[in-house]
Amino acid sequence: MALGHTRLDVRRQQHASSSCCSAPGVAAFVGLCLVAVWMASSALVTPADFSPFQAPLWRRAAAPAEANAPPAAVREEETAADDQEPPVADRQQAGSTEKAKGADEKQSAAEKPEEKPDEKPKVKKVEAEVFPDAKDAELLNQTATEPGSWRTQAAESNTETNERTNASSSVPAASHSWKLCDVDAGADYIPCLDNVEAIRKLRSDKHYEHRERHCPEEAPTCLVPLPPGYRSPIRWPESRDQIWYSNVPHTKLVEYKGHQNWVNVSGEHLVFPGGGTQFKRGALHYIDFIQEAKKDVAWGKRTRVVLDVGCGVASFGGYLFDRDVLTMSFAPKDEHEAQVQFALERGIPAISAVMGTKRLPFPGGVFDAVHCARCRVPWHIEGGKLLLELNRLLRPGGYFVWSATPVYQKLPEDVEIWEAMSVLTRSMCWNLVNKVKDRVNRVGAAIFQKPMDNRCYDRRSAANPPLCGESDNPDAAWNVSLQSCMHRLPRDPTMRGLRWPEEWPLRVERPPYWLKSSETGVYGKPAPEDFQADYEHWKRVISNSYMEGLGIDWSSVRNVMDMKAVYGGFAAALRNMKVWVMNVVPIDSPDTLPIIYERGLFGLYHDWCESFSTYPRSYDLVHANHLFSKIKKRCQLLGVIVEVDRIVRPEGRLIVRDDMETIREVESIVKSLHWEVRLSYSQENEGLLFVQKTMWRPNTSSS
């Protein structure tokens, strides 16, 4: 099925071609061919009266430019002709075929009878919304809200976000000489986790400081190489069970964990049987075992968003998709080589992170449940500092599922740890709701529940661990040191956390109860109206434009990132697709991440002047809505686009919506990176850029 028919395509379908052997017929045929050639060279491939806002984006790109349109306002380069685009490596070879096909189409069009003046081709008109209409025009930009209405993560965490490098001093992309990164990590390079120079200067690694983020002073502008033999990833859901070995050519986990059904090698594939250290017989049985142990867990209804600590290859989170549960899995980049990279290649959400000396990059009280299956975290030591971090993240009334040897074994060390954990959890007012053994996997699990109110805190005989001070914001998470304290739970019935969210999927549709009409939203409307306008806007854009207009083969898209999520409307509008969306709230943007979690979605905080905590080649589609024009005021845009190049897979896509000056800058950089510009569109000063990464890498390395 063709992605987009030109006017010539439509006519060819409506009228069967016929042959004519007479001399007048030949003359007419030649004349019509010349007309067709003139039409093609003039790019007149849509009716002149066809409004660009009534057609899909692919048709819009081919429409004649208005006389007063800005230069290069509408451009499209090498738009594919079929739903299934050929691999990037094959497109050059396919060029001659496409030219021949175009000639055939012109000939067929020339042979059709002449249309009547009032006759129009039967083209389905789509009410596509590239940019908001007049009533929702404020969605293009965040308005200045009342002081204190929306704090940023930078303000909450007292993080400095001043301009790091003068953006005007950046090297123009056209003159930039691209080179491969010459680093020990090679094709797996994560700049903020592989900063060898900074790690060597650490005074201690007792608390896993060497696994934490240590970003270079300047963002790298070198490119990460591809592993030899890299190929397009296997598509979901098959990817959950197997991936190409050549894409993640690591075997240490096979040696360490193969007997526990983590991962095995089979020919040119790495195969994932769905097991884990605590669920050798498969994740689904283990998931149902937890449900049976505590009915109120209610996977996919009450429990929608889960944090999996020390996730391994993330089979737990991968199989929770079958229960309509979204899992944020994380593990450090350590001797368990490439475990998070395996997860992402399989199409399962994960980030590289460690429980060390800093808070995790999530707001407080947002996860419905937290899971740890032999995650190797010493919860009971140092006053329970690490368990208190989980307490910060866990929603009031949420569950902590701990499956580890101290729960079910009687070795002296295990007994000692269980006793210490029992004392610690009681002092934290966590209630042990069940301790049960799984006889199939021969393991056990303890399920604790966080309190819903402060009554237990108030009647403790000893304030140990202590309550945090009033000035300690539980949502402050960016570069904030861990604290050995607990935050008081909300008392005001209108505050977040006092009530459990509505069951999934109702929670994704409705504004949270604590979003007040008396508060101004990010775009300037009353907050609940702002929320709804954002959601309706993205539903229209995705349904009318992104689904059909860009020619994306959505079966090849699994891992998606929204680089500047606001209310999570973009992710919510994609919820019925077989994709997951990592919602990123920049630290200098309004802190709306709690809203995203409240609606049953997930994400994290990040500073886009630094590299993201993920492996190269992690995402199939990255979306950036009015991000780059803001971020380039603080750091060089070149480094940010290089980071996008790092995290996007070859043949992956980037959609940018921003002002035209920024669109032109981004387009210049990605062209120099040999990305293919699939569409560039503008209306007044607003632009949309849709580009696709290729397999290209430079031949030389940086020193």
Side-chain angles (χ1 to χ4, degrees), residues 45 95 103 110 130 161 193 198 220 259 286 307 335 346 434 539 564 568 588 645 650 687:
V45 292
V130 181
T161 60
L193 297 181
H259 67 289
Y286 175 74
L307 180 68
E335 67 275 8
R346 296 173 70 190
N434 206 349
K539 283 197 294 184
K564 186 183 173 221
D588 56 346
D645 179 87

Side-chain angles (χ1 to χ4, degrees), residues 144-151:
T145 56
E146 303 159 0
S149 311
W150 291 96
R151 300 192 69 192

Side-chain angles (χ1 to χ4, degrees), residues 566-588:
V566 181
Y567 297 115
F570 172 77
L574 286 170
R575 69 184 179 89
N576 291 324
M577 303 289 292
K578 294 187 181 298
V579 303
W580 56 268
V581 181
M582 183 67 73
N583 293 284
V584 180
V585 173
I587 64 167
D588 56 346

Side-chain angles (χ1 to χ4, degrees), residues 587-609:
I587 64 167
D588 56 346
S589 293
D591 185 3
T592 53
L593 195 51
I595 297 173
I596 291 170
Y597 275 92
E598 193 79 1
R599 58 194 309 191
L601 307 171
F602 67 4
L604 45 67
Y605 299 115
H606 184 62
D607 181 356
W608 282 115
C609 289

Side-chain angles (χ1 to χ4, degrees), residues 24-47:
V26 171
F29 171 76
V30 172
L32 288 171
C33 284
L34 292 174
V35 172
V37 170
W38 172 79
M39 290 174 66
S41 64
S42 302
L44 294 176
V45 292
T46 56

Side-chain angles (χ1 to χ4, degrees), residues 146-377:
E146 303 159 0
S149 311
W150 291 96
R151 300 192 69 192
T152 66
Q153 181 60 207
E156 291 170 344
S157 304
N158 296 318
T159 303
E160 185 63 50
T161 60
N162 291 337
E163 183 178 328
R164 300 175 179 216
T165 308
N166 190 339
S168 63
S169 67
S170 61
V171 180
S175 64
H176 193 84
S177 177
W178 296 112
K179 294 183 179 180
L180 295 176
C181 299
D182 184 14
V183 291
D184 293 340
D188 299 335
Y189 181 43
I190 306 176
C192 290
L193 297 181
D194 292 315
N195 188 349
V196 177
E197 183 179 351
I199 292 172
R200 284 173 179 164
K201 294 178 181 178
L202 293 174
R203 295 182 179 180
S204 171
D205 60 6
K206 178 182 177 182
H207 296 98
Y208 293 91
E209 291 90 344
H210 59 305
R211 306 296 185 198
E212 294 183 320
R213 291 172 58 85
H214 302 282
C215 299
E217 291 185 8
E218 293 187 9
T221 54
C222 58
L223 305 183
V224 177
L226 297 178
Y230 181 87
R231 56 205 296 185
S232 298
I234 295 173
R235 299 183 179 187
W236 181 268
E238 289 77 12
S239 62
R240 184 170 67 178
D241 301 326
Q242 62 178 9
I243 63 174
W244 299 118
Y245 170 78
S246 57
N247 287 10
V248 192
H250 299 296
T251 57
K252 282 187 179 179
L253 272 181
V254 176
E255 299 166 12
Y256 294 159
K257 299 292 186 178
H259 67 289
Q260 295 175 349
N261 284 333
W262 278 37
V263 57
N264 295 300
V265 177
S266 177
E268 58 184 359
H269 294 99
L270 288 164
V271 178
F272 300 86
T277 304
Q278 297 299 96
F279 40 93
K280 299 176 187 178
R281 299 290 188 269
L284 278 178
H285 168 80
Y286 175 74
I287 288 166
D288 292 339
F289 158 69
I290 295 172
Q291 173 80 67
E292 289 297 317
K294 183 60 181 175
K295 300 288 187 183
D296 286 349
V297 167
W299 298 124
K301 292 183 173 60
R302 183 183 189 273
T303 300
R304 162 64 182 174
V305 188
V306 173
L307 180 68
D308 189 17
V309 183
C311 62
V313 295
S315 288
F316 179 71
Y319 282 90
L320 272 173
F321 278 114
D322 291 0
R323 300 292 183 264
D324 224 357
V325 174
L326 200 55
T327 308
M328 176 71 77
S329 301
F330 77 92
K333 189 179 185 186
D334 61 8
E335 67 275 8
H336 280 172
E337 187 181 52
Q339 52 190 332
V340 165
Q341 191 175 21
F342 283 139
L344 290 161
E345 186 72 14
R346 296 173 70 190
I348 302 171
I351 60 168
S352 290
V354 66
M355 300 204 71
T357 67
K358 302 288 181 66
R359 287 179 176 175
L360 293 169
F362 315 116
V366 292
F367 288 100
D368 304 333
V370 178
H371 173 257
C372 159
R374 292 284 287 275
C375 55
R376 304 196 308 166
V377 177

